[in-house]
Amino acid sequence: MDHFHYRDRALYCEGVAVEDLATEYGTPLYVYSQATMLHHLRQIQTAFADAQPLICYSLKTNGNIHIGRLMAEHGAGFDVTSGGELYRALASGGSGDKIVFAGVGKTDDEIRKALEVGIRFFNVESEEELANIAAIARQHGRKAQVALRVNPDLPPKTHVKTDTSVKGVKFGLDIETVVEVAGQYVNHPHVEIVGLHMHLGSPILSTDPYRQGSAKAVDLIKKLRHQGHTITYLNMGGGFGIHYRKQEALPAAAFAEVLVPAAKQSGCQLVLEPGRFIVGNAGILVSRVLYTKSTGGKRYVIQDAAMNDLIRPTLYESFHRIWPVRPAPGFPTPPSDYEADIPNAVRCDVVGPVCESGDFLARDRCLPPLRRGDLLATFSAGAYGMSMSSNYNGRPRAAEVLIDGRRHRLIRRRETYEDLVRPEREVPT
Ligand SMILES: *Cc1c(COP(=O)(O)O)cnc(C)c1O
């Protein structure tokens, strides 16, 4: 469920007409529905309530501090993957004891800073990293809490670039050797192994990987306890899929059905790191048609959002629903099946201004006829949209606006040309 809907043939986000937002804030524009993101956070909180989970919102999904603040205010902690995200988590009002830190390449500075603010635990991804965290904790007279990230070696379950639990990816420790690594840290003065971490990949549209992964985790936790570790946390990461094409995503309750019993069986507190599930369907990217043209036997709609604003189609061949904010007569609302032929529609590629053949938001897509000046909405763009944006082709980043009922509030201003060159100007001459 989300709060984007057509009323009198025009798209609304909650109680606000998207056309009005485009007029006021310009395009390309990210529009977020507060009710939608809070609904999804609550759905997870409710479904998993029996396991009293620590829900750490994955900041890399959408790091805007105003969204972060909403998460913190509604009970979430944060999952961060860098010092920059740790900074964002704190700027969002996050408290250290609800922050977990993952990533294969944590620098000494990042580890030091995380120890200083007292994060809950590090998700450790290699033997060398574990040794380094121990050394830094020792220098600072601390004891670092860590969860060992394990690669459970499961069958492929999502796009190859975002599958993190098949053999051979860079993430985590091998399941065959993790117990051996842990053996060297029993009663260690500066490192305490308190948990097991398993982020399987994303997006995942089935509960099977969670069933298989958590079974392996429960088994491993027994072995780690047998060694003498006090394992308190079972961290099953994020990865819950969302609706990109139609209503293909599972409700949080389906994942809870698998993970809550596993957590109980392990005798651990469950930790989750959802990102996409919370904000993915809560955001759209609004753009304006610049030109249309036919070339090489193909029809193109050229609009002002590009791969620098939303790179998922280019990077992962991802599918995003696209529909006009005010469709031509005869096309009142979006189709239930975007991949089927739509009578009287035009099959076209939706592309941006960036100088790359790979710059597109959609290919061979049936859309109502479009004209210069028409507005388009690209749906399910709240996750890995703005957070993966860049300035490529000298393009300032889009503005972001948050909707709450009939109110709208700018939560990131559009970047200016001056923003583009400032770090280059601010150097010694
Ligand atoms: C990216 C990531 C997540 C969030 O994944 P979603 O699919 O957005 O829920 C959680 N944990 C880790 C370690 C990640 O890298």
Side-chain angles (χ1 to χ4, degrees):
M1 186 203 74
D2 65 41
H3 290 78
F4 297 94
H5 55 271
Y6 283 82
R7 191 195 302 166
D8 302 329
R9 293 196 30 248
L11 180 63
Y12 277 71
C13 173
E14 302 194 18
V16 181
V18 171
E19 281 169 339
D20 295 346
L21 296 169
T23 304
E24 180 160 350
Y25 300 106
T27 54
L29 178 70
Y30 274 102
V31 176
Y32 304 115
S33 156
Q34 178 169 318
T36 306
M37 53 184 86
L38 292 182
H39 166 79
H40 285 90
L41 172 60
R42 207 169 309 120
Q43 200 188 319
I44 295 178
Q45 287 167 329
T46 307
F48 286 90
D50 259 4
Q52 293 179 303
L54 173 62
I55 296 166
C56 294
Y57 168 64
S58 166
L59 257 188
K60 77 171 190 286
T61 310
N62 187 322
N64 188 295
I65 58 172
H66 301 279
I67 291 174
R69 190 162 290 280
L70 271 180
M71 294 298 132
E73 281 170 2
H74 288 82
F78 296 99
D79 158 44
V80 304
T81 58
S82 69
E85 283 186 3
L86 178 57
Y87 185 86
R88 282 191 177 277
L90 298 170
S92 302
S95 69
D97 67 337
K98 283 174 140 183
I99 295 174
V100 297
F101 191 163
V104 297
K106 302 177 192 77
T107 66
D108 294 6
D109 280 345
E110 289 174 326
I111 293 166
R112 230 173 262 125
K113 184 70 193 170
L115 283 172
E116 250 167 53
V117 304
I119 65 161
R120 182 70 71 104
F121 55 78
F122 293 92
N123 290 313
V124 169
E125 310 233 10
S126 68
E127 198 171 347
E128 265 194 31
E129 183 198 335
L130 186 54
N132 191 38
I133 289 175
I136 294 173
R138 185 171 151 269
Q139 284 160 18
H140 294 264
R142 308 246 179 167
K143 191 163 189 173
Q145 307 235 307
V146 306
L148 299 180
R149 178 169 185 176
V150 179
N151 179 347
D153 184 14
L154 299 179
K157 60 204 77 60
T158 188
H159 192 278
V160 63
K161 286 182 185 163
T162 55
D163 195 331
T164 58
S165 55
V166 284
K167 213 184 185 74
V169 297
K170 69 176 179 178
F171 298 100
L173 292 143
D174 285 342
I175 193 155
E176 297 87 7
T177 53
V178 61
V179 174
E180 193 184 314
V181 172
Q184 304 159 40
Y185 287 85
V186 179
N187 297 322
H188 193 280
H190 297 291
V191 156
E192 191 178 1
I193 297 174
V194 295
L196 199 74
H197 177 225
M198 218 179 247
H199 172 65
L200 303 175
S202 177
I204 298 174
L205 293 168
S206 144
T207 57
D208 291 346
Y210 291 95
R211 193 183 307 279
Q212 295 157 1
S214 61
K216 293 191 179 194
V218 168
D219 187 50
L220 269 179
I221 286 170
K222 272 191 207 134
K223 291 183 180 155
L224 295 173
R225 286 202 177 119
H226 190 71
Q227 280 183 318
H229 297 288
T230 307
I231 305 296
T232 316
Y233 305 105
L234 169 60
N235 182 355
M236 289 303 296
F240 305 158
I242 63 165
H243 306 313
Y244 280 116
R245 292 167 191 266
K246 31 184 121 177
Q247 300 290 306
E248 70 265 43
L250 293 174
F255 297 105
E257 223 168 86
V258 172
L259 292 178
V260 171
K264 287 192 172 161
Q265 207 188 337
S266 73
C268 286
Q269 182 181 13
L270 185 64
V271 180
L272 295 170
E273 304 169 336
R276 192 190 310 270
F277 189 86
I278 296 174
V279 290
N281 288 132
I284 61 170
L285 176 60
V286 182
S287 60
R288 202 177 280 282
V289 175
L290 296 169
Y291 306 105
T292 59
K293 73 170 186 181
S294 294
T295 183
K298 266 183 115 157
R299 186 90 192 138
Y300 287 90
V301 172
I302 303 156
Q303 40 79 64
D304 62 6
M307 62 185 279
N308 74 296
D309 302 300
L310 180 66
I311 203 172
R312 298 190 69 257
T314 305
L315 192 59
Y316 311 127
E317 291 92 36
S318 303
F319 185 100
H320 284 265
R321 299 178 321 282
I322 298 180
W323 201 247
V325 167
R326 183 178 284 280
F331 301 88
T333 49
S336 54
D337 183 356
Y338 278 78
E339 279 148 301
D341 268 316
I342 302 170
N344 303 318
V346 185
R347 213 167 253 286
C348 55
D349 281 16
V350 179
V351 303
V354 161
C355 299
E356 298 267 351
S357 307
D359 174 33
F360 62 90
L361 295 183
R363 279 184 159 157
D364 291 322
R365 191 66 65 81
C366 271
L367 284 171
L370 289 163
R371 284 191 314 212
R372 179 171 162 75
D374 287 350
L375 291 168
L376 286 177
T378 299
F379 292 90
S380 305
Y384 307 103
M386 188 62 176
S387 67
M388 294 181 91
S389 66
S390 77
N391 290 126
Y392 187 43
N393 268 218
R395 290 170 54 84
R397 279 187 181 74
E400 295 177 288
V401 56
L402 182 66
I403 312 303
D404 175 19
R406 300 171 79 89
R407 288 193 305 249
H408 48 97
R409 160 164 89 94
L410 192 65
I411 57 170
R412 193 179 208 268
R413 66 161 172 81
R414 185 173 303 284
E415 287 181 357
T416 64
Y417 294 149
E418 178 55 29
D419 290 332
L420 295 181
V421 298
R422 187 170 298 132
E424 297 150 44
R425 288 232 169 93
E426 290 175 354
V427 291
T429 48

